[in-house]
Amino acid sequence: MTLDIRPALSASAPDSIDALREMLGSLEAQLVALYEEKEEWSARPGEPDETLTALYEDKQRLSARTIAELRASVDSFSAQLAEFYQEREQQDTGAHTGNSEELQTSLQSFEAQLDALYAERADATDEHAEALEMVASLASQVASLLEERDDLAAQIIRAVQELQATKKRAREMVNVVLEQSFA
């Protein structure tokens, strides 16, 4: 392909032959510099492999960090579940015997599932997908248990409020009886 630079040169044509020679020398130097740069880039074939290797290592580090974060989340969920069990055992369940038995059954079921998941986790070496499923399952279980705990707490609060209202009415009735007896 032939490149015609005459139209470009006519706009800024040098006034003398010496100026034209200087311009040609400058263009030649630029052309040589471009060829040298091209040769430098083509002489480094290993560099893209190093970039890919670095990218792969970054992905491995991120994967390891993600797995560590998932394990920390599982441990956190396990701790929350254990804390919930302790709170559950400490609550007075006399008024809620039917709900308590259902909750105990579901808690035992969750505990069995959790034990099964832990057994699977111990057998699995580094299965990322199973860890995600386990975390999702534990998260939903913990959320369900927390909702049940909140419901029980609300029921207890209502029962306490009813008891306080009944005590107040009883006091008022005793006061009325006392006033009538002294009157």
Side-chain angles (χ1 to χ4, degrees):
M1 175 180 206
T2 306
L3 190 59
D4 188 13
I5 61 169
R6 279 182 266 162
L9 289 177
S10 65
S12 63
D15 295 335
S16 68
I17 296 282
D18 291 331
L20 182 60
R21 285 185 182 148
E22 284 180 32
M23 180 189 286
L24 286 175
S26 171
L27 289 173
E28 270 185 63
Q30 291 176 17
L31 186 61
V32 168
L34 286 173
Y35 277 119
E36 288 174 356
E37 283 181 27
K38 180 183 174 189
E39 288 177 13
E40 282 181 32
W41 283 103
S42 63
R44 293 189 255 173
E47 192 169 301
D49 291 338
E50 292 171 9
T51 305
L52 288 176
T53 303
L55 181 62
Y56 177 74
E57 290 170 354
D58 286 345
K59 285 186 178 185
Q60 280 183 325
R61 281 192 296 276
L62 287 174
S63 176
R65 187 177 355 159
T66 303
I67 290 170
E69 289 171 357
L70 286 173
R71 287 184 179 147
S73 295
V74 167
D75 293 340
S76 172
F77 288 142
S78 298
Q80 290 176 12
L81 189 58
E83 183 180 322
F84 177 76
Y85 288 151
Q86 288 175 351
E87 288 178 11
R88 180 72 177 91
E89 290 173 5
Q90 294 173 357
Q91 289 180 348
D92 181 22
T93 59
H96 308 288
T97 307
N99 289 339
S100 183
E101 290 174 6
E102 291 173 10
L103 283 174
Q104 188 65 29
T105 303
S106 62
L107 287 176
Q108 288 172 348
S109 171
F110 289 145
E111 190 172 16
Q113 291 176 14
L114 185 61
D115 290 340
L117 287 173
Y118 280 139
E120 288 177 21
R121 180 176 152 205
D123 293 338
T125 55
D126 198 23
E127 298 175 345
H128 190 68
E130 288 181 12
L132 288 175
E133 289 175 23
M134 181 175 26
V135 167
S137 173
L138 286 173
S140 65
Q141 291 174 17
V142 168
S144 174
L145 290 173
L146 289 174
E147 284 180 25
E148 289 178 23
R149 182 192 68 181
D150 292 343
D151 290 343
L152 284 175
Q155 289 175 0
I156 290 171
I157 288 171
R158 283 192 300 273
V160 167
Q161 289 171 344
E162 289 174 14
L163 181 62
Q164 288 173 344
T166 304
K167 282 182 179 180
K168 184 179 178 183
R169 282 193 305 268
R171 279 191 209 122
E172 290 172 356
M173 291 164 72
V174 168
N175 288 336
V176 169
V177 170
L178 286 175
E179 287 177 6
Q180 288 177 356
S181 66
F182 286 123

